[in-house]
Amino acid sequence: HYAGTVVYDATQFVTKNMDTLSQDLLECAKLSSNEIIANELENDAMMNDHSRKKKKKKAGGKSAGQKPSRGGALVQQTVWSKFRTQLTSLMTSLGETRTRYIRCIKPNTKKKPKLMMHDSTIQQLRCAGVVAAVTISRSAFPNRLEHELVVDRFKPLWPTGINQSANQGMDRAEILKSNCGILLTNALSELESTKEDGSPSKAFVIGKTRAYFRAGALEYLESERLKGLSKWATVLQRVVRGFAQRSKYKIMRAAVITIEAIVRRFIQRRKYLRLRAACIVIQCWARCIAAKNLLVKKRRSHAATMIQNHWRILVAKVAFKEKKHAAVFIQAMARGYIQRPKYIVALKEKQEEAKLENKLMKLQRKLEEAENARLEAEKKAAEKKTEVQIVYKEREGEPKPEIKEKESQEESTAAAPSEQQQGAAVTLTEQQQTLMDESGKMLEYLRREVFKLRGQNARLRSDFDLLKENNQRLMDANASAGASFGALNQHAKQLNKANAKLTAELGHYKSQIQKIAILHIETKEELKMKQASYIAEVTTRLHYQKTMATIVDTVENRCRDRKLVEEVLDLYDACESAYMDGPTATPRKHTNIDSTIDSASMSTERRDMDSSDSNVLSKIKNFFG
């Protein structure tokens, strides 16, 4: 790409080419958690894998018995092999695409912004062949355009009176070529010159797909194209300015008509307001009388209604109190009838429970007394045993004669109460035995009763659990019913509010409808009056025209004076013009504003027409009188 001198440095190229990695290290690096290392080492463009894949595809037709060629992994992954792979892929992609070369010029070799080295840039332009290409193109045909672009761009320069070539068995390219030749021949006829041998030299050449122009030919075409466009621009400006002025005129005309309508409306409205005020006074007086009569009737009816209302309320209250007292008495009797058997059963159960509790209390007291007696007897028996043991030990130890005497005295004194105690102990043990037997029987009875009561308690607990569940269900149902009732109540309140609003709106609409009906009746009456006046006016006009025609005919037939006839005809023409300017003349196209103006200013026009008719009649009378 560069024709200048280029210096290459091959120092340590072989050593760099020997810098390789083993296959184990590559596989280990591909398993790295770092995405850059793993992805770059798996990139086939950096390796020689895609070349091997192509070779495998090419060698797919070989027999299966052939051994694959050995590919050294170490050789494939060197710097030189990577460079060769990348260069091969670049050349294959260039061969598969349509290449367009872009000449890039480096402004400087120091890679700095805003720095221009003129020597290096000129050297690059010379070596790239840009200067030579420019000089060659300027010497012969510096400009070139395709046929379709020429026809489309310079279409305003097409010669008048010459039609474009039709499809007479020619291709589109041939048609474009012929049209391009006709267009350029007529457009560049002034730039033609003659050679030394006398042959004409055109300022362009038609090629197979393009048209080539000599120096200055394309600029001349552009200037002619601009002249043609300026001519068309003048035409467009004329049309646009005409449209703008016409729209302004229409706006001004509509404004004038609007002003006239406003003035006429103001005059007629003032008259209308006066008549309306008088009508309102009369209507107010009549309505006041009618309203007074209606008010008296409504007051009487309201008083009668209030009397009836209070009397009916009193009767209803008395009947309600009587029915309420009877309902309360019936409810009391019914509830007493339902609750009385339950109360009797509950009273009996309560009495039985009280009896059982009394029995239990008595037995507990007896047991406590027997237990206390047994404990006292055991204590006394234990004390006697200790005394006997002490006496036995003293006898074995040979005490002195003084001590023996004292002991004998003590024994003699203690012998009498010991015998009494033994008899009491015997009697106590018999009583305890009887009490123990009775207590055992009572305990067995109580155990049986306890088991029965436990069974009853378990049944009552199960019934209580069922009642509790039913109560919970009822509470949940009650809560849901309360919530639904609240929602329904809220909805009912909203409906009441909406109903109140609707009733208010209905009353308002009724009043409006009444007003509209009154206005409709009034407008109908006004229209009837206007229609009658219009019909009378039309009949008078027709009669007037007939009389005028008969007068003119009689003057033309009987009068011999030409001047008199001409004056009569002038008067007739004046009457006709006044008639045509009146309200019965031929109507023109009205807008909505004109219709409102004509309807509002009819009375003034009638008055003007009557005055003009009176003037014409006075002239005729003076002429004949």
Side-chain angles (χ1 to χ4, degrees), residues 257-274:
I257 292 167
T258 305
I259 291 165
E260 290 177 354
I262 290 167
V263 171
R264 291 171 183 170
R265 184 179 63 189
F266 175 74
I267 295 166
Q268 294 299 323
R269 184 174 176 78
R270 188 168 59 187
K271 293 180 181 179
Y272 168 72
L273 289 173
R274 289 175 184 172

Side-chain angles (χ1 to χ4, degrees), residues 122-301:
I122 291 167
Q123 185 69 20
Q124 289 176 34
L125 290 170
R126 285 175 180 171
C127 295
V130 175
V131 178
V134 169
T135 54
I136 290 166
S137 64
R138 294 288 293 177
S139 63
F141 298 97
N143 301 317
R144 55 186 177 178
L145 294 173
E146 294 180 355
H147 293 160
E148 186 175 1
L149 183 59
V150 170
V151 173
D152 188 26
R153 185 170 180 78
F154 301 108
K155 192 181 289 183
L157 302 178
W158 186 265
T160 57
I162 299 174
N163 296 323
Q164 294 184 2
S165 58
N167 295 328
Q168 298 176 355
M170 293 190 295
D171 296 335
R172 185 172 180 274
E174 294 177 356
I175 293 167
L176 287 172
K177 186 176 180 181
S178 64
N179 291 332
C180 184
I182 295 166
L183 177 62
L184 294 177
T185 302
N186 289 284
L188 297 175
S189 60
E190 295 182 359
L191 297 179
E192 289 184 0
S193 62
T194 56
K195 296 180 181 179
E196 294 179 356
D197 55 358
S199 61
S201 175
K202 293 184 179 181
F204 67 95
V205 174
I206 301 297
K208 187 175 181 181
T209 59
R210 294 177 183 175
Y212 297 88
F213 300 93
R214 295 187 186 276
L218 190 61
E219 288 81 359
Y220 177 76
L221 286 173
E222 290 290 338
S223 64
E224 293 294 325
R225 177 174 171 272
L226 289 174
K227 289 178 183 177
L229 291 175
S230 65
K231 191 182 295 182
W232 285 107
T234 305
V235 175
L236 291 172
Q237 286 177 358
R238 177 176 61 80
V239 174
V240 170
R241 287 171 182 171
F243 175 75
Q245 294 299 323
R246 201 176 295 108
S247 61
K248 285 182 182 179
Y249 168 72
K250 288 180 180 179
I251 291 166
M252 291 173 71
R253 184 172 176 271
V256 169
I257 292 167
T258 305
I259 291 165
E260 290 177 354
I262 290 167
V263 171
R264 291 171 183 170
R265 184 179 63 189
F266 175 74
I267 295 166
Q268 294 299 323
R269 184 174 176 78
R270 188 168 59 187
K271 293 180 181 179
Y272 168 72
L273 289 173
R274 289 175 184 172
L275 294 172
R276 186 186 174 194
C279 292
I280 288 169
V281 171
I282 296 166
Q283 288 177 357
C284 181
W285 181 69
R287 287 171 184 171
C288 284
I289 294 168
K292 282 180 182 179
N293 297 326
L294 182 63
L295 180 62
V296 171
K297 289 181 182 178
K298 283 188 175 181
R299 281 179 179 175
R300 289 178 180 176
S301 64

Side-chain angles (χ1 to χ4, degrees), residues 332-433:
M333 295 296 291
R335 288 171 183 170
Y337 178 75
I338 292 166
Q339 295 295 329
R340 198 172 289 112
K342 293 180 182 179
Y343 174 73
I344 292 166
V345 173
L347 184 62
K348 287 180 180 179
E349 290 178 356
K350 192 71 177 178
Q351 290 175 357
E352 289 178 358
E353 288 177 0
K355 288 179 182 179
L356 289 172
E357 286 179 358
N358 292 327
K359 288 180 181 180
L360 286 171
M361 291 293 290
K362 289 178 181 179
L363 289 172
Q364 285 178 0
R365 286 174 186 174
K366 288 180 181 180
L367 286 172
E368 287 176 357
E369 290 175 358
E371 188 68 22
N372 292 328
R374 185 179 65 77
L375 290 173
E376 289 177 359
E378 286 179 356
K379 284 181 182 179
K380 289 178 181 180
E383 288 177 356
K384 288 179 182 179
K385 284 181 182 180
T386 53
E387 289 176 357
V388 170
Q389 288 177 0
I390 291 167
V391 169
Y392 181 74
K393 286 180 181 179
E394 288 178 354
R395 287 179 180 176
E396 288 179 355
E398 293 181 353
K400 293 180 181 182
E402 296 176 355
I403 296 168
K404 287 180 180 180
E405 289 177 359
K406 289 180 180 179
E407 289 177 355
S408 62
Q409 289 177 358
E410 290 176 356
E411 288 175 357
S412 62
T413 54
S418 64
E419 289 176 358
Q420 294 175 359
Q421 289 175 358
Q422 285 178 359
V426 170
T427 57
L428 287 170
T429 53
E430 289 176 357
Q431 291 177 358
Q432 287 176 359
Q433 188 65 34

Side-chain angles (χ1 to χ4, degrees), residues 27 176 181 617:
E27 291 177 356
L176 287 172
L617 289 171

Side-chain angles (χ1 to χ4, degrees), residues 306-566:
M306 292 299 293
I307 292 165
Q308 290 176 359
N309 190 9
H310 286 294
W311 172 251
R312 287 170 184 171
I313 288 169
L314 181 62
V315 173
K317 278 184 179 179
V318 172
F320 174 72
K321 285 180 181 179
E322 291 177 356
K323 290 179 181 178
K324 183 180 178 182
H325 181 69
V328 169
F329 182 74
I330 292 165
Q331 287 178 358
M333 295 296 291
R335 288 171 183 170
Y337 178 75
I338 292 166
Q339 295 295 329
R340 198 172 289 112
K342 293 180 182 179
Y343 174 73
I344 292 166
V345 173
L347 184 62
K348 287 180 180 179
E349 290 178 356
K350 192 71 177 178
Q351 290 175 357
E352 289 178 358
E353 288 177 0
K355 288 179 182 179
L356 289 172
E357 286 179 358
N358 292 327
K359 288 180 181 180
L360 286 171
M361 291 293 290
K362 289 178 181 179
L363 289 172
Q364 285 178 0
R365 286 174 186 174
K366 288 180 181 180
L367 286 172
E368 287 176 357
E369 290 175 358
E371 188 68 22
N372 292 328
R374 185 179 65 77
L375 290 173
E376 289 177 359
E378 286 179 356
K379 284 181 182 179
K380 289 178 181 180
E383 288 177 356
K384 288 179 182 179
K385 284 181 182 180
T386 53
E387 289 176 357
V388 170
Q389 288 177 0
I390 291 167
V391 169
Y392 181 74
K393 286 180 181 179
E394 288 178 354
R395 287 179 180 176
E396 288 179 355
E398 293 181 353
K400 293 180 181 182
E402 296 176 355
I403 296 168
K404 287 180 180 180
E405 289 177 359
K406 289 180 180 179
E407 289 177 355
S408 62
Q409 289 177 358
E410 290 176 356
E411 288 175 357
S412 62
T413 54
S418 64
E419 289 176 358
Q420 294 175 359
Q421 289 175 358
Q422 285 178 359
V426 170
T427 57
L428 287 170
T429 53
E430 289 176 357
Q431 291 177 358
Q432 287 176 359
Q433 188 65 34
T434 55
L435 289 170
M436 289 295 288
D437 293 335
E438 289 179 359
S439 63
K441 291 177 181 179
M442 290 298 293
L443 287 170
E444 288 178 359
Y445 176 73
L446 291 171
R447 283 176 185 171
R448 291 173 187 172
E449 292 293 329
V450 166
F451 284 127
K452 288 180 182 178
L453 293 171
R454 283 181 182 175
Q456 291 178 0
N457 192 9
R459 288 193 294 274
L460 290 172
R461 282 184 181 177
S462 61
D463 294 336
F464 178 73
D465 293 333
L466 290 172
L467 290 171
K468 195 173 181 180
E469 290 178 358
N470 291 327
N471 190 14
Q472 187 66 31
R473 290 175 185 172
L474 290 171
M475 287 174 71
D476 294 336
N478 191 11
S480 63
S484 62
F485 179 73
L488 289 171
N489 193 7
Q490 189 69 24
H491 184 63
K493 288 180 180 179
Q494 292 178 359
L495 288 174
N496 288 328
K497 290 180 181 178
N499 192 8
K501 288 181 181 178
L502 288 172
T503 52
E505 290 178 357
L506 182 62
H508 182 64
Y509 290 150
K510 283 182 179 178
S511 63
Q512 287 184 353
I513 288 165
Q514 290 176 357
K515 292 178 182 178
I516 290 165
I518 293 165
L519 290 172
H520 184 66
I521 292 164
E522 290 178 354
T523 50
K524 276 186 176 180
E525 291 176 355
E526 289 178 0
L527 287 171
K528 286 179 181 178
M529 292 171 66
K530 287 181 180 179
Q531 187 176 5
S533 63
Y534 185 74
I535 290 166
E537 188 176 356
V538 168
T539 54
T540 54
R541 289 297 175 91
L542 290 171
H543 183 66
Y544 172 72
Q545 286 180 357
K546 287 179 181 178
T547 54
M548 288 296 293
T550 54
I551 289 165
V552 170
D553 291 334
T554 54
V555 168
E556 285 181 353
N557 293 325
R558 295 181 181 181
C559 187
R560 295 179 181 178
D561 191 359
R562 302 292 296 177
K563 291 181 180 180
L564 182 60
V565 172
E566 288 177 359

